[in-house]
C-alpha cells in the first residue's frame, strides 16, 4: 500500500507538470484566436493593401513596422513567438476597428469674421460671436459625445485662421516640455492640439500645441513613401502665430491665431481664400492625477495624426 501511495503521488506530480507546461506553451504562443489573426497578417500582404483608402489606413501602415513579428511566425526568429503573436494580433484588431468605422468625414463651413477676434480667450465678445461653434467632445475611437461640455470655435479673417477652445477641467495639469523622454511634453498634460493640412492630398501637415499656461509648440510633419508619419521639424519657430490661455474656476480657455503665411506653398501668397478647402483636426489631451485621455471636436479614429479622418474645412463668406 505504501508503494502504491508513492506511485500515485508521483503520477499526480507528473500530470501537474504536464498541465503547467501546456499552460505555459499556450501563454507563450498566444491564444488560438490571436494566432489566427497573427497568421493572416504574417502570411500575406493582402490584409495591409485591402485597408488602403479606408479609415483603417492609418493603423494599417503600422504593418511595415511589424517586420520582426512577421519573421518570427515565418520561422525567422527575432522575438519570442508569444511576443510576435500578441503584436500582430493587436495590429489586426486596430485595423479591423478602422475597417468597421462608418463615420463620414465632417465638412465644416468656416465663417469669415467681420473683424479680427480678440485673443484674450473671452469668447463672449471681441469678434468670436460670429465664429463657428462646435459643442462637446468625442473620446478617440468613440462615436458618442462624452459628458464634457467643451466648446470649440473656428473662424477666419483676412490672412489668418482663428481657433478657440473652452475646456471644463477641475484638475488642470500643465506640462511645458518639448521632445522629452520623461513624460513632460505639452501633450502629456492638459493641452489643445490643432492639426492643419493646408492642401488635401499633400503629404505635409502642421501641428500647434497650446497648454493652459499659454505655452506654444509648433511642429511640421510629413508622410513617407509608405504612409508613415515622420516629424520633419520638431520645433518650428512659430513666428507670427499668437495665442493666449486663461484659467478660471471651471477649467481653462485657449485662443489661437494662425496666419496663412506660416504655411509653405501657395498659402504663403494668400490674399483671399473664400471657397478653398483644407483639412483639420482639433484634439484635447486631458491629464489628471490618476488618468490621461484624449478626445476630439468630431469623432476621430486612433490619433490626431490620422489624416484619413480629418475634417474638411471650407472657407465660407461672412454670415
Amino acid at each position: 500500500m505504501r508503494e502504491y501511495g508513492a506511485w500515485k503521488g508521483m503520477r499526480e506530480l507528473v500530470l501537474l507538470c504536464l498541465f503547467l507546461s501546456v499552460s505555459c506553451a499556450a501563454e507563450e504562443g498566444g491564444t488560438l484566436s490571436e494566432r489566427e489573426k497573427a497568421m493572416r497578417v504574417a502570411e500575406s500582404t493582402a490584409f495591409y493593401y485591402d485597408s488602403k483608402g479606408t479609415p483603417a489606413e492609418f493603423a494599417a501602415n503600422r504593418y511595415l513596422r511589424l517586420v520582426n513579428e512577421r519573421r518570427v511566425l515565418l520561422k525567422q526568429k527575432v522575438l519570442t513567438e508569444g511576443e510576435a503573436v500578441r503584436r500582430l494580433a493587436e495590429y489586426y484588431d486596430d485595423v479591423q476597428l478602422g475597417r468597421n468605422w462608418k463615420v463620414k468625414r465632417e465638412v465644416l463651413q468656416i465663417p469669415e469674421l467681420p473683424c479680427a477676434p480678440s485673443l484674450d480667450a473671452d469668447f463672449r465678445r471681441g469678434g468670436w460671436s460670429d465664429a463657428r461653434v462646435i459643442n462637446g467632445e468625442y473620446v478617440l475611437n468613440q462615436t458618442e459625445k462624452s459628458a464634457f461640455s467643451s466648446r470649440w470655435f473656428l473662424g477666419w479673417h483676412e490672412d489668418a485662421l482663428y481657433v478657440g477652445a473652452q475646456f471644463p477641467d477641475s484638475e488642470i495639469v500643465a506640462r511645458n516640455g518639448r521632445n522629452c523622454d520623461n513624460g513632460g511634453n505639452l501633450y502629456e498634460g492638459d493641452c489643445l492640439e490643432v492639426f492643419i493640412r493646408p492642401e488635401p492630398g499633400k503629404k505635409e501637415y502642421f501641428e500647434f500645441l497650446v497648454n493652459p499656461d499659454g505655452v506654444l509648440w509648433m511642429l511640421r510633419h510629413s508622410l513617407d513613401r509608405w504612409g508613415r508619419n515622420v516629424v520633419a521639424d520638431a520645433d518650428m519657430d512659430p513666428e507670427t502665430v499668437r495665442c493666449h490661455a486663461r484659467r478660471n474656476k471651471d477649467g481653462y480657455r485657449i485662443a489661437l491665431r494662425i496666419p496663412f503665411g506660416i504655411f509653405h506653398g501657395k498659402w504663403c501668397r494668400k490674399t483671399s481664400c473664400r471657397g478653398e478647402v483644407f483639412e483639420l483636426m482639433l484634439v484635447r489631451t486631458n491629464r489628471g492625477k490618476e488618468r490621461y485621455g484624449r478626445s476630439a471636436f468630431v469623432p476621430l479614429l486612433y490619433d490626431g495624426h490620422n489624416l484619413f479622418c480629418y475634417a474638411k474645412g471650407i472657407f465660407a463668406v461672412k454670415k
Side-chain angles (χ1 to χ4, degrees):
M1 291 296 292
R2 186 175 300 172
E3 291 179 355
Y4 173 77
W7 179 86
K8 182 179 179 183
M10 182 64 71
R11 177 174 177 272
E12 291 176 348
L13 179 60
V14 170
L15 290 175
L16 177 61
C17 291
L18 286 173
F19 172 79
L20 292 175
S21 65
V22 170
S23 299
C24 290
E27 176 64 20
E28 178 66 13
T31 66
L32 179 61
S33 174
E34 286 177 331
R35 291 189 64 84
E36 289 176 350
K37 295 174 182 178
M39 292 308 296
R40 283 194 61 188
V41 174
E43 291 179 334
S44 171
T45 57
F47 185 75
Y48 166 66
Y49 284 110
D50 287 348
S51 301
K52 290 292 187 181
T54 75
E57 184 167 348
F58 176 81
N61 285 335
R62 284 171 45 209
Y63 178 84
L64 303 164
R65 305 175 190 173
L66 296 169
V67 59
N68 289 337
E69 290 81 356
R70 288 183 278 125
R71 284 174 179 169
V72 168
L73 293 196
L74 298 176
K75 305 308 179 184
Q76 302 169 353
K77 295 280 185 180
V78 178
L79 305 170
T80 67
E81 187 166 345
E83 289 173 329
V85 166
R86 281 186 285 275
R87 290 188 189 184
L88 290 170
E90 179 184 347
Y91 167 81
Y92 179 97
D93 287 339
D94 278 351
V95 174
Q96 286 296 90
L97 178 65
R99 287 184 171 187
N100 296 324
W101 186 258
K102 305 302 181 183
V103 179
K104 293 183 178 180
R105 286 197 189 194
E106 292 282 345
V107 179
L108 304 172
Q109 297 286 331
I110 311 298
E112 181 180 5
L113 306 177
C115 63
S118 63
L119 292 180
D120 61 359
D122 186 348
F123 301 121
R124 298 167 297 181
R125 61 183 182 83
W128 290 103
S129 58
D130 293 294
R132 175 72 182 263
V133 181
I134 297 97
N135 294 308
E137 61 183 68
Y138 298 82
V139 175
L140 298 192
N141 302 331
Q142 301 295 320
T143 57
E144 300 292 332
K145 286 185 179 180
S146 73
F148 286 105
S149 56
S150 300
R151 304 187 76 198
W152 317 73
F153 302 82
L154 287 165
W156 69 280
H157 178 72
E158 293 184 347
D159 63 345
L161 176 69
Y162 290 84
V163 181
Q166 178 177 308
F167 297 142
D169 198 330
S170 60
E171 188 181 6
I172 297 175
V173 179
R175 297 186 175 173
N176 301 330
R178 296 174 172 83
N179 304 312
C180 299
D181 295 324
N182 59 1
N185 290 297
L186 265 74
Y187 57 82
E188 293 172 291
D190 289 316
C191 180
L192 167 67
E193 293 181 302
V194 178
F195 296 89
I196 302 289
R197 192 183 196 182
E199 298 180 69
K202 298 292 185 180
K203 294 183 177 181
E204 192 171 59
Y205 66 103
F206 297 80
E207 179 182 7
F208 304 84
L209 303 94
V210 185
N211 75 1
D213 292 332
V215 177
L216 171 65
W217 184 16
M218 178 180 175
L219 303 91
R220 179 166 58 90
H221 304 277
S222 186
L223 300 180
D224 67 12
R225 60 181 297 192
W226 303 109
R228 294 174 297 189
N229 304 79
V230 177
V231 178
D233 191 338
D235 198 4
M236 290 187 68
D237 181 356
E239 300 177 16
T240 53
V241 177
R242 297 289 179 266
C243 69
H244 182 77
R246 67 189 313 182
R247 304 189 187 201
N248 55 36
K249 61 182 179 63
D250 300 317
Y252 65 99
R253 301 175 182 180
I254 290 173
L256 184 65
R257 177 188 184 275
I258 304 173
F260 299 141
I262 203 167
F263 302 118
H264 299 294
K266 64 181 182 180
W267 282 64
C268 294
R269 302 181 297 276
K270 275 189 181 297
T271 55
S272 174
C273 55
R274 294 180 183 90
E276 291 195 35
V277 177
F278 70 108
E279 295 179 349
L280 76 158
M281 184 53 61
L282 309 181
V283 174
R284 175 192 185 184
T285 63
N286 191 359
R287 168 72 66 180
K289 290 182 179 178
E290 304 295 334
R291 56 172 174 74
Y292 176 77
R294 293 177 296 165
S295 52
F297 78 137
V298 296
L300 173 63
L301 189 63
Y302 304 131
D303 188 86
H305 294 274
N306 182 9
L307 301 176
F308 308 102
C309 282
Y310 277 17
K312 293 185 177 182
I314 301 175
F315 290 112
V317 298
K318 296 177 183 178
K319 291 183 178 180

